[in-house]
Amino acid sequence: MTVLTILGHRLKDDGSMTDILKSRLDSALKIIPTKITEDDRIMLCGGIANAEAGIAEATVMKQYLVEKGVNPDLIILEAKSLTTKENAKFGAVIIKELGAKEVMICTSDYHMYRWYRNPLKLFRHYLGRDYEILPVVAIDPQK
């Protein structure tokens, strides 16, 4: 089983998505038809990082993906995390419970390869060496 893990991004005060978050979801939508089967899962990570918005990033992300035709039965919400470290910590628990062996992490290019709080390293830390972790990089729409 593969778990496509899409990392959130702080919502705007009105609860709408930033262009950065939308680019992550749009990048995932390009690979879902060819890489994700009914045996796999899509985990959306992100809690209520913006109290003004009053809604979890994962909830808004799910609404967007379902509107774009993604089967809601494939989607799992990790709606507690507020940081990249928490994405990995809380997400790893879900991945292990599912019995997955491959994890694809979708986030922005600037986020994926930064030296501190690197999502690939953090997921590797919490999951251990028994998991294959693959990057899915969304290009920052501001470039």
Side-chain angles (χ1 to χ4, degrees):
M1 169 192 282
T2 296
V3 177
L4 171 60
T5 303
I6 308 170
L7 304 186
H9 188 269
R10 184 181 172 95
L11 298 174
K12 296 177 186 177
D13 288 349
D14 66 0
S16 64
M17 293 189 298
T18 62
D19 289 341
I20 291 171
L21 181 53
K22 189 172 180 283
S23 75
R24 294 176 186 182
L25 295 168
D26 289 340
S27 293
L29 283 168
K30 291 177 185 173
I31 67 163
I32 289 171
T34 59
K35 300 289 184 187
I36 303 300
T37 70
E38 63 270 357
D39 296 325
D40 300 321
R41 294 295 174 263
I42 301 164
M43 181 170 58
L44 307 175
C45 293
I48 303 176
N50 181 351
E52 186 75 24
I55 188 168
E57 296 161 16
T59 301
V60 174
M61 294 162 70
K62 180 178 180 179
Q63 292 168 351
Y64 184 81
L65 292 178
V66 170
E67 286 173 6
K68 297 290 185 180
V70 175
N71 180 350
D73 294 337
L74 299 179
I75 298 173
I76 297 169
L77 302 184
E78 182 288 292
K80 297 187 305 185
S81 61
L82 302 178
T83 66
T84 306
K85 183 177 181 180
E86 289 180 351
N87 290 158
K89 182 178 179 180
F90 303 148
V93 172
I94 294 169
I95 291 165
K96 288 177 180 180
E97 287 174 354
L98 290 170
K101 288 298 176 187
E102 181 179 78
V103 180
M104 297 184 337
I105 300 174
C106 181
T107 191
S108 304
D109 53 354
Y110 75 88
H111 190 221
M112 185 67 76
Y113 300 112
R114 63 187 183 182
W115 66 270
Y116 68 99
R117 307 279 177 170
N118 177 296
L120 294 174
K121 290 179 183 176
L122 287 167
F123 272 87
R124 169 73 60 221
H125 171 76
Y126 287 105
L127 287 171
R129 297 267 173 221
D130 292 338
Y131 293 83
E132 184 173 1
I133 301 175
L134 307 167
V136 176
V137 180
I139 302 300
D140 186 343
Q142 298 169 359
K143 288 186 179 179

